[in-house]
Amino acid sequence: MPELPEVETVRRGLQPAMEGAAILSVETRRPDLRFALPLDISSRLAGQRIVSLGRRAKYLLVTAQDGTVLICHLGMSGSFRVEEGGAGATPGLFHYERSKDTAHDHVLFHLEGSDGRRARVVYNDPRRFGFMLFAAADGSHPMLDGLGVEPTGNALDGALLASLLAGRKTPLKAALLDQSLIAGLGNIYVSEALWRAGLSPRRAAGSIVTAAGGPTPRTERLAAAVRSVIADAIAAGGSSLRDYMHADGSLGYFQHAFSVYDREGEPCRKPGCGGHVGRIVQSGRSTFFCAACQR
DNA sequence: ACATAGACCTGTTGGC
DNA sequence: TGCCAACAGGTCTATG
């Protein structure tokens, strides 16, 4: 599922159950996801309280009281769900809601909240492209090093975007997907941002900055478009394709607000445009755009 | 540096 | 209905 807005939605959904809770144990039902799970995942975390659940780009960061940081990535199909001990549950006996797809429940965090209620947070991932790894003692990890700017907030302005794209001949689509430039965009939101900015995904990235590497109106439009599409998607609770659910079982609704993604053949939604949404493949992945208004 | 293809996996979808 | 190819929100590696 997850690009930045979906990961942020997951984080917000898990936060109430995880922050402040004590980890009783971590149950792994297979030895690996994309990478081998840490052999000591349970022994390093059991008995500790979770002090924060953070996010960097598409990574979730679980910080325990001794400073240990567990880095989680959801890959393409990873999801978390929270299962509360049912009302009236006695200690040690729980009535967890039955879930449809438990075949791919791979990692279970057994928790005890500060109120003494037990819950479990279950990681499910059919394709197993996700992973969990411990950061180094200082919180760093090679997977986090080299990540670019977050597209949230106002850090990504025209001047910064211009400096990132200057001199690059690679298509805008590829540049925006490059996590070392902007961290958190994925295939959906790149298409959406380029449509909002009225820019072709095929245009050379460096072609929207000045010779000196400064911003142009196109750069400003793209920076604003990236920020707005990410902000709008987070506000909508992310996108729920294929009924992809939140941790509490609810659905995001940004998919209804897609302007071009997965809308091949539909009329362009830009008022007065008259064009149609097309689909091309760039570096092996679908790009949706309107050739009439995206130049 | 950069473009492309392939790899990792399973599940869903659309065409015949 | 069945079968099979194509495709899926990510990212790392190899190869030109």
Short mmCIF file of all heavy atoms in Angstrom, two decimals, chain A residues 60-117:
data_model
loop_
_atom_site.label_atom_id
_atom_site.label_comp_id
_atom_site.label_asym_id
_atom_site.label_seq_id
_atom_site.Cartn_x
_atom_site.Cartn_y
_atom_site.Cartn_z
N LEU A 60 8.41 3.43 9.45
CA LEU A 60 7.91 3.62 10.81
C LEU A 60 9.06 3.36 11.76
O LEU A 60 9.87 2.45 11.55
CB LEU A 60 6.77 2.63 11.12
CG LEU A 60 5.41 2.92 10.52
CD1 LEU A 60 4.48 1.73 10.78
CD2 LEU A 60 4.82 4.19 11.08
N LEU A 61 9.13 4.15 12.84
CA LEU A 61 10.23 4.02 13.80
C LEU A 61 9.65 3.82 15.19
O LEU A 61 9.00 4.71 15.74
CB LEU A 61 11.09 5.29 13.77
CG LEU A 61 11.62 5.70 12.38
CD1 LEU A 61 12.30 7.06 12.44
CD2 LEU A 61 12.59 4.65 11.84
N VAL A 62 9.88 2.65 15.74
CA VAL A 62 9.38 2.34 17.07
C VAL A 62 10.54 2.51 18.05
O VAL A 62 11.53 1.79 17.98
CB VAL A 62 8.87 0.88 17.16
CG1 VAL A 62 8.31 0.58 18.54
CG2 VAL A 62 7.83 0.60 16.08
N THR A 63 10.42 3.49 18.94
CA THR A 63 11.51 3.75 19.89
C THR A 63 11.13 3.24 21.28
O THR A 63 10.08 3.62 21.82
CB THR A 63 11.83 5.25 19.97
OG1 THR A 63 12.18 5.71 18.65
CG2 THR A 63 12.99 5.51 20.92
N ALA A 64 11.98 2.39 21.82
CA ALA A 64 11.75 1.84 23.16
C ALA A 64 12.46 2.70 24.20
O ALA A 64 13.28 3.55 23.87
CB ALA A 64 12.24 0.39 23.23
N GLN A 65 12.14 2.45 25.46
CA GLN A 65 12.63 3.33 26.52
C GLN A 65 14.14 3.33 26.66
O GLN A 65 14.72 4.31 27.09
CB GLN A 65 11.97 2.95 27.85
CG GLN A 65 12.32 1.57 28.35
CD GLN A 65 11.44 1.16 29.54
OE1 GLN A 65 10.33 0.69 29.37
NE2 GLN A 65 11.94 1.37 30.73
N ASP A 66 14.81 2.27 26.26
CA ASP A 66 16.27 2.27 26.34
C ASP A 66 16.93 2.85 25.09
O ASP A 66 18.14 2.79 24.94
CB ASP A 66 16.80 0.85 26.60
CG ASP A 66 16.72 -0.04 25.36
OD1 ASP A 66 16.06 0.36 24.38
OD2 ASP A 66 17.31 -1.13 25.39
N GLY A 67 16.10 3.41 24.20
CA GLY A 67 16.64 4.04 23.01
C GLY A 67 16.72 3.13 21.79
O GLY A 67 17.03 3.59 20.69
N THR A 68 16.42 1.87 21.98
CA THR A 68 16.39 0.96 20.83
C THR A 68 15.34 1.43 19.83
O THR A 68 14.22 1.77 20.22
CB THR A 68 16.04 -0.47 21.30
OG1 THR A 68 17.07 -0.93 22.16
CG2 THR A 68 15.90 -1.42 20.11
N VAL A 69 15.72 1.44 18.56
CA VAL A 69 14.78 1.86 17.51
C VAL A 69 14.57 0.70 16.54
O VAL A 69 15.52 0.18 15.95
CB VAL A 69 15.31 3.08 16.73
CG1 VAL A 69 14.35 3.43 15.58
CG2 VAL A 69 15.50 4.27 17.65
N LEU A 70 13.31 0.28 16.41
CA LEU A 70 12.96 -0.73 15.43
C LEU A 70 12.42 -0.01 14.19
O LEU A 70 11.47 0.77 14.27
CB LEU A 70 11.89 -1.68 15.98
CG LEU A 70 11.48 -2.81 15.02
CD1 LEU A 70 12.61 -3.82 14.85
CD2 LEU A 70 10.22 -3.50 15.53
N ILE A 71 13.07 -0.27 13.07
CA ILE A 71 12.68 0.35 11.80
C ILE A 71 11.78 -0.62 11.05
O ILE A 71 12.14 -1.78 10.86
CB ILE A 71 13.93 0.63 10.94
CG1 ILE A 71 14.89 1.56 11.68
CG2 ILE A 71 13.54 1.20 9.59
CD1 ILE A 71 16.27 1.65 11.03
N CYS A 72 10.60 -0.14 10.65
CA CYS A 72 9.66 -1.01 9.93
C CYS A 72 9.30 -0.39 8.58
O CYS A 72 9.00 0.80 8.50
CB CYS A 72 8.36 -1.17 10.73
SG CYS A 72 8.57 -1.78 12.40
N HIS A 73 9.34 -1.20 7.56
CA HIS A 73 8.91 -0.75 6.23
C HIS A 73 7.81 -1.70 5.75
O HIS A 73 7.93 -2.91 5.94
CB HIS A 73 10.08 -0.75 5.25
CG HIS A 73 9.80 0.02 3.99
ND1 HIS A 73 8.94 -0.43 3.03
CD2 HIS A 73 10.26 1.21 3.56
CE1 HIS A 73 8.90 0.46 2.04
NE2 HIS A 73 9.68 1.46 2.33
N LEU A 74 6.77 -1.15 5.15
CA LEU A 74 5.61 -1.95 4.78
C LEU A 74 5.69 -2.53 3.37
O LEU A 74 4.78 -3.25 2.95
CB LEU A 74 4.34 -1.10 4.89
CG LEU A 74 4.07 -0.49 6.27
CD1 LEU A 74 2.88 0.44 6.22
CD2 LEU A 74 3.84 -1.57 7.31
N GLY A 75 6.76 -2.21 2.66
CA GLY A 75 6.88 -2.75 1.30
C GLY A 75 5.68 -2.37 0.46
O GLY A 75 5.19 -1.24 0.53
N MET A 76 5.18 -3.30 -0.34
CA MET A 76 4.02 -3.03 -1.20
C MET A 76 2.72 -3.44 -0.53
O MET A 76 1.67 -2.86 -0.79
CB MET A 76 4.15 -3.81 -2.51
CG MET A 76 5.23 -3.31 -3.42
SD MET A 76 4.71 -1.91 -4.38
CE MET A 76 4.21 -2.75 -5.88
N SER A 77 2.76 -4.46 0.29
CA SER A 77 1.50 -5.04 0.75
C SER A 77 1.42 -5.18 2.27
O SER A 77 0.55 -5.87 2.79
CB SER A 77 1.30 -6.43 0.11
OG SER A 77 2.39 -7.29 0.44
N GLY A 78 2.32 -4.52 2.99
CA GLY A 78 2.32 -4.66 4.44
C GLY A 78 1.24 -3.82 5.10
O GLY A 78 0.88 -2.76 4.63
N SER A 79 0.70 -4.33 6.19
CA SER A 79 -0.27 -3.55 6.96
C SER A 79 -0.18 -3.96 8.43
O SER A 79 0.28 -5.05 8.76
CB SER A 79 -1.70 -3.81 6.46
OG SER A 79 -2.08 -5.16 6.70
N PHE A 80 -0.61 -3.06 9.27
CA PHE A 80 -0.70 -3.35 10.69
C PHE A 80 -2.16 -3.28 11.09
O PHE A 80 -2.92 -2.46 10.56
CB PHE A 80 0.05 -2.29 11.51
CG PHE A 80 1.53 -2.48 11.58
CD1 PHE A 80 2.37 -1.74 10.77
CD2 PHE A 80 2.09 -3.39 12.48
CE1 PHE A 80 3.75 -1.90 10.85
CE2 PHE A 80 3.46 -3.54 12.57
CZ PHE A 80 4.30 -2.79 11.75
N ARG A 81 -2.55 -4.10 12.03
CA ARG A 81 -3.87 -3.92 12.63
C ARG A 81 -3.73 -4.08 14.14
O ARG A 81 -2.84 -4.77 14.62
CB ARG A 81 -4.89 -4.89 12.06
CG ARG A 81 -4.67 -6.33 12.41
CD ARG A 81 -5.80 -7.23 11.88
NE ARG A 81 -5.68 -8.56 12.45
CZ ARG A 81 -4.91 -9.53 11.93
NH1 ARG A 81 -4.20 -9.30 10.84
NH2 ARG A 81 -4.86 -10.70 12.52
N VAL A 82 -4.61 -3.38 14.83
CA VAL A 82 -4.62 -3.44 16.29
C VAL A 82 -5.76 -4.33 16.72
O VAL A 82 -6.88 -4.17 16.22
CB VAL A 82 -4.81 -2.03 16.89
CG1 VAL A 82 -4.90 -2.11 18.41
CG2 VAL A 82 -3.68 -1.11 16.46
N GLU A 83 -5.48 -5.26 17.59
CA GLU A 83 -6.54 -6.09 18.14
C GLU A 83 -6.54 -5.89 19.65
O GLU A 83 -5.58 -6.24 20.34
CB GLU A 83 -6.31 -7.56 17.79
CG GLU A 83 -6.37 -7.80 16.30
CD GLU A 83 -6.24 -9.26 15.90
OE1 GLU A 83 -5.71 -10.05 16.71
OE2 GLU A 83 -6.66 -9.60 14.80
N GLU A 84 -7.62 -5.30 20.13
CA GLU A 84 -7.74 -5.04 21.56
C GLU A 84 -8.28 -6.29 22.24
O GLU A 84 -9.07 -7.01 21.66
CB GLU A 84 -8.73 -3.89 21.82
CG GLU A 84 -8.46 -2.64 21.02
CD GLU A 84 -7.38 -1.78 21.65
OE1 GLU A 84 -6.91 -2.13 22.75
OE2 GLU A 84 -7.00 -0.77 21.03
N GLY A 85 -7.85 -6.50 23.46
CA GLY A 85 -8.48 -7.55 24.23
C GLY A 85 -9.94 -7.16 24.39
O GLY A 85 -10.27 -6.02 24.64
N GLY A 86 -10.84 -8.10 24.15
CA GLY A 86 -12.25 -7.78 24.16
C GLY A 86 -12.73 -7.30 25.53
O GLY A 86 -12.09 -7.57 26.55
N ALA A 87 -13.86 -6.61 25.52
CA ALA A 87 -14.42 -6.15 26.78
C ALA A 87 -14.68 -7.36 27.67
O ALA A 87 -15.16 -8.39 27.21
CB ALA A 87 -15.72 -5.39 26.52
N GLY A 88 -14.35 -7.25 28.92
CA GLY A 88 -14.59 -8.34 29.84
C GLY A 88 -13.54 -9.43 29.78
O GLY A 88 -13.64 -10.45 30.45
N ALA A 89 -12.54 -9.20 28.96
CA ALA A 89 -11.48 -10.21 28.89
C ALA A 89 -10.77 -10.30 30.23
O ALA A 89 -10.51 -9.30 30.87
CB ALA A 89 -10.48 -9.84 27.80
N THR A 90 -10.51 -11.48 30.64
CA THR A 90 -9.74 -11.64 31.87
C THR A 90 -8.28 -11.74 31.51
O THR A 90 -7.94 -12.12 30.39
CB THR A 90 -10.17 -12.92 32.60
OG1 THR A 90 -10.10 -14.01 31.68
CG2 THR A 90 -11.59 -12.78 33.11
N PRO A 91 -7.42 -11.39 32.44
CA PRO A 91 -5.99 -11.41 32.12
C PRO A 91 -5.58 -12.77 31.56
O PRO A 91 -5.91 -13.81 32.12
CB PRO A 91 -5.33 -11.14 33.47
CG PRO A 91 -6.36 -10.35 34.21
CD PRO A 91 -7.68 -10.91 33.78
N GLY A 92 -4.92 -12.72 30.46
CA GLY A 92 -4.45 -13.96 29.87
C GLY A 92 -5.46 -14.61 28.94
O GLY A 92 -5.16 -15.61 28.32
N LEU A 93 -6.63 -14.07 28.88
CA LEU A 93 -7.65 -14.66 28.01
C LEU A 93 -8.26 -13.55 27.18
O LEU A 93 -8.82 -12.60 27.70
CB LEU A 93 -8.73 -15.33 28.86
CG LEU A 93 -9.85 -16.02 28.08
CD1 LEU A 93 -9.31 -17.19 27.29
CD2 LEU A 93 -10.93 -16.48 29.05
N PHE A 94 -8.15 -13.67 25.88
CA PHE A 94 -8.56 -12.56 25.04
C PHE A 94 -9.51 -13.00 23.96
O PHE A 94 -9.47 -14.12 23.48
CB PHE A 94 -7.34 -11.90 24.40
CG PHE A 94 -6.31 -11.57 25.41
CD1 PHE A 94 -5.18 -12.36 25.55
CD2 PHE A 94 -6.49 -10.49 26.26
CE1 PHE A 94 -4.25 -12.06 26.52
CE2 PHE A 94 -5.56 -10.20 27.23
CZ PHE A 94 -4.43 -10.98 27.37
N HIS A 95 -10.36 -12.08 23.59
CA HIS A 95 -11.30 -12.35 22.52
C HIS A 95 -10.96 -11.44 21.37
O HIS A 95 -11.50 -10.35 21.25
CB HIS A 95 -12.73 -12.09 23.00
CG HIS A 95 -13.06 -12.85 24.24
ND1 HIS A 95 -13.49 -14.15 24.22
CD2 HIS A 95 -12.96 -12.50 25.54
CE1 HIS A 95 -13.68 -14.56 25.47
NE2 HIS A 95 -13.36 -13.58 26.29
N TYR A 96 -10.01 -11.84 20.58
CA TYR A 96 -9.61 -11.00 19.47
C TYR A 96 -10.58 -11.18 18.32
O TYR A 96 -11.02 -12.28 18.03
CB TYR A 96 -8.19 -11.35 19.02
CG TYR A 96 -7.16 -10.97 20.03
CD1 TYR A 96 -6.47 -11.93 20.74
CD2 TYR A 96 -6.91 -9.63 20.29
CE1 TYR A 96 -5.53 -11.59 21.68
CE2 TYR A 96 -5.97 -9.27 21.23
CZ TYR A 96 -5.28 -10.25 21.93
OH TYR A 96 -4.35 -9.90 22.85
N GLU A 97 -10.87 -10.07 17.70
CA GLU A 97 -11.74 -10.09 16.54
C GLU A 97 -11.15 -11.00 15.47
O GLU A 97 -9.97 -10.95 15.19
CB GLU A 97 -11.86 -8.67 15.99
CG GLU A 97 -13.13 -8.42 15.26
CD GLU A 97 -13.24 -6.93 14.94
OE1 GLU A 97 -12.96 -6.11 15.85
OE2 GLU A 97 -13.58 -6.62 13.82
N ARG A 98 -12.00 -11.76 14.88
CA ARG A 98 -11.52 -12.65 13.83
C ARG A 98 -11.17 -11.80 12.60
O ARG A 98 -11.90 -10.90 12.24
CB ARG A 98 -12.59 -13.67 13.48
CG ARG A 98 -12.08 -14.75 12.56
CD ARG A 98 -13.26 -15.57 12.06
NE ARG A 98 -14.10 -15.95 13.19
CZ ARG A 98 -14.35 -17.22 13.52
NH1 ARG A 98 -13.81 -18.19 12.83
NH2 ARG A 98 -15.13 -17.49 14.52
N SER A 99 -10.09 -12.10 11.99
CA SER A 99 -9.69 -11.35 10.80
C SER A 99 -9.69 -12.28 9.60
O SER A 99 -9.49 -13.48 9.72
CB SER A 99 -8.29 -10.77 11.02
OG SER A 99 -7.93 -10.01 9.90
N LYS A 100 -9.97 -11.71 8.43
CA LYS A 100 -10.09 -12.53 7.23
C LYS A 100 -8.78 -13.22 6.86
O LYS A 100 -8.74 -14.41 6.62
CB LYS A 100 -10.53 -11.67 6.05
CG LYS A 100 -11.90 -11.07 6.21
CD LYS A 100 -12.17 -10.09 5.07
CE LYS A 100 -13.41 -9.26 5.38
NZ LYS A 100 -13.53 -8.11 4.51
N ASP A 101 -7.76 -12.43 6.81
CA ASP A 101 -6.52 -12.92 6.22
C ASP A 101 -5.44 -13.04 7.28
O ASP A 101 -4.59 -12.18 7.43
CB ASP A 101 -6.09 -11.96 5.11
CG ASP A 101 -4.70 -12.26 4.61
OD1 ASP A 101 -4.27 -13.42 4.72
OD2 ASP A 101 -4.05 -11.33 4.12
N THR A 102 -5.47 -14.11 8.02
CA THR A 102 -4.43 -14.29 9.02
C THR A 102 -3.28 -15.13 8.47
O THR A 102 -2.29 -15.33 9.14
CB THR A 102 -4.98 -14.99 10.29
OG1 THR A 102 -5.53 -16.24 9.89
CG2 THR A 102 -6.05 -14.14 10.95
N ALA A 103 -3.45 -15.60 7.24
CA ALA A 103 -2.41 -16.45 6.66
C ALA A 103 -1.09 -15.72 6.55
O ALA A 103 -0.04 -16.35 6.58
CB ALA A 103 -2.86 -16.93 5.28
N HIS A 104 -1.15 -14.40 6.43
CA HIS A 104 0.08 -13.65 6.27
C HIS A 104 0.38 -12.76 7.47
O HIS A 104 1.00 -11.72 7.34
CB HIS A 104 0.03 -12.84 4.97
CG HIS A 104 -0.16 -13.71 3.76
ND1 HIS A 104 0.83 -14.55 3.30
CD2 HIS A 104 -1.21 -13.90 2.94
CE1 HIS A 104 0.37 -15.21 2.24
NE2 HIS A 104 -0.86 -14.84 2.00
N ASP A 105 -0.12 -13.16 8.63
CA ASP A 105 0.28 -12.49 9.87
C ASP A 105 1.67 -12.99 10.21
O ASP A 105 1.86 -14.17 10.53
CB ASP A 105 -0.68 -12.86 11.02
CG ASP A 105 -2.05 -12.21 10.86
OD1 ASP A 105 -2.21 -11.37 9.96
OD2 ASP A 105 -2.95 -12.56 11.65
N HIS A 106 2.65 -12.11 10.14
CA HIS A 106 4.04 -12.57 10.30
C HIS A 106 4.67 -12.16 11.63
O HIS A 106 5.50 -12.87 12.16
CB HIS A 106 4.90 -12.04 9.15
CG HIS A 106 4.42 -12.43 7.80
ND1 HIS A 106 4.07 -13.73 7.48
CD2 HIS A 106 4.19 -11.70 6.68
CE1 HIS A 106 3.66 -13.77 6.21
NE2 HIS A 106 3.72 -12.56 5.71
N VAL A 107 4.31 -10.98 12.12
CA VAL A 107 4.92 -10.49 13.35
C VAL A 107 3.82 -9.94 14.25
O VAL A 107 3.00 -9.14 13.80
CB VAL A 107 5.96 -9.37 13.07
CG1 VAL A 107 6.63 -8.92 14.36
CG2 VAL A 107 7.01 -9.86 12.07
N LEU A 108 3.79 -10.39 15.52
CA LEU A 108 2.77 -9.94 16.45
C LEU A 108 3.44 -9.31 17.66
O LEU A 108 4.27 -9.94 18.32
CB LEU A 108 1.89 -11.11 16.90
CG LEU A 108 0.94 -11.73 15.87
CD1 LEU A 108 1.68 -12.61 14.88
CD2 LEU A 108 -0.17 -12.50 16.56
N PHE A 109 3.05 -8.08 17.94
CA PHE A 109 3.56 -7.38 19.12
C PHE A 109 2.52 -7.54 20.22
O PHE A 109 1.39 -7.05 20.10
CB PHE A 109 3.78 -5.90 18.82
CG PHE A 109 4.85 -5.63 17.79
CD1 PHE A 109 4.55 -5.72 16.44
CD2 PHE A 109 6.14 -5.31 18.17
CE1 PHE A 109 5.52 -5.49 15.48
CE2 PHE A 109 7.12 -5.08 17.22
CZ PHE A 109 6.81 -5.17 15.87
N HIS A 110 2.88 -8.23 21.27
CA HIS A 110 1.96 -8.42 22.40
C HIS A 110 2.22 -7.29 23.39
O HIS A 110 3.34 -7.14 23.89
CB HIS A 110 2.18 -9.79 23.04
CG HIS A 110 1.89 -10.93 22.09
ND1 HIS A 110 0.63 -11.47 21.94
CD2 HIS A 110 2.69 -11.59 21.22
CE1 HIS A 110 0.67 -12.43 21.03
NE2 HIS A 110 1.90 -12.53 20.57
N LEU A 111 1.17 -6.51 23.63
CA LEU A 111 1.33 -5.28 24.40
C LEU A 111 0.44 -5.25 25.64
O LEU A 111 -0.60 -5.91 25.68
CB LEU A 111 0.96 -4.06 23.53
CG LEU A 111 1.68 -3.92 22.19
CD1 LEU A 111 1.12 -2.72 21.43
CD2 LEU A 111 3.19 -3.77 22.40
N GLU A 112 0.88 -4.45 26.60
CA GLU A 112 0.03 -4.16 27.76
C GLU A 112 0.02 -2.65 27.93
O GLU A 112 1.07 -2.02 28.15
CB GLU A 112 0.57 -4.82 29.03
CG GLU A 112 -0.33 -4.58 30.23
CD GLU A 112 0.16 -5.35 31.45
OE1 GLU A 112 1.00 -4.81 32.19
OE2 GLU A 112 -0.29 -6.50 31.64
N GLY A 113 -1.16 -2.06 27.79
CA GLY A 113 -1.30 -0.62 27.90
C GLY A 113 -1.05 -0.13 29.31
O GLY A 113 -1.00 -0.93 30.26
N SER A 114 -0.90 1.18 29.46
CA SER A 114 -0.66 1.74 30.79
C SER A 114 -1.86 1.53 31.70
O SER A 114 -1.74 1.60 32.92
CB SER A 114 -0.33 3.23 30.67
OG SER A 114 -1.28 3.87 29.84
N ASP A 115 -3.03 1.24 31.11
CA ASP A 115 -4.20 0.95 31.92
C ASP A 115 -4.33 -0.54 32.24
O ASP A 115 -5.31 -0.98 32.81
CB ASP A 115 -5.47 1.42 31.19
CG ASP A 115 -5.63 0.75 29.83
OD1 ASP A 115 -4.76 -0.09 29.46
OD2 ASP A 115 -6.62 1.05 29.14
N GLY A 116 -3.32 -1.30 31.83
CA GLY A 116 -3.33 -2.72 32.13
C GLY A 116 -4.04 -3.59 31.10
O GLY A 116 -3.97 -4.81 31.16
N ARG A 117 -4.70 -2.94 30.15
CA ARG A 117 -5.39 -3.73 29.13
C ARG A 117 -4.40 -4.26 28.10
O ARG A 117 -3.46 -3.58 27.72
CB ARG A 117 -6.46 -2.90 28.42
CG ARG A 117 -7.63 -2.56 29.30
CD ARG A 117 -8.62 -1.67 28.55
NE ARG A 117 -9.18 -2.35 27.39
CZ ARG A 117 -10.35 -2.99 27.41
NH1 ARG A 117 -11.05 -3.05 28.51
NH2 ARG A 117 -10.79 -3.58 26.32
#
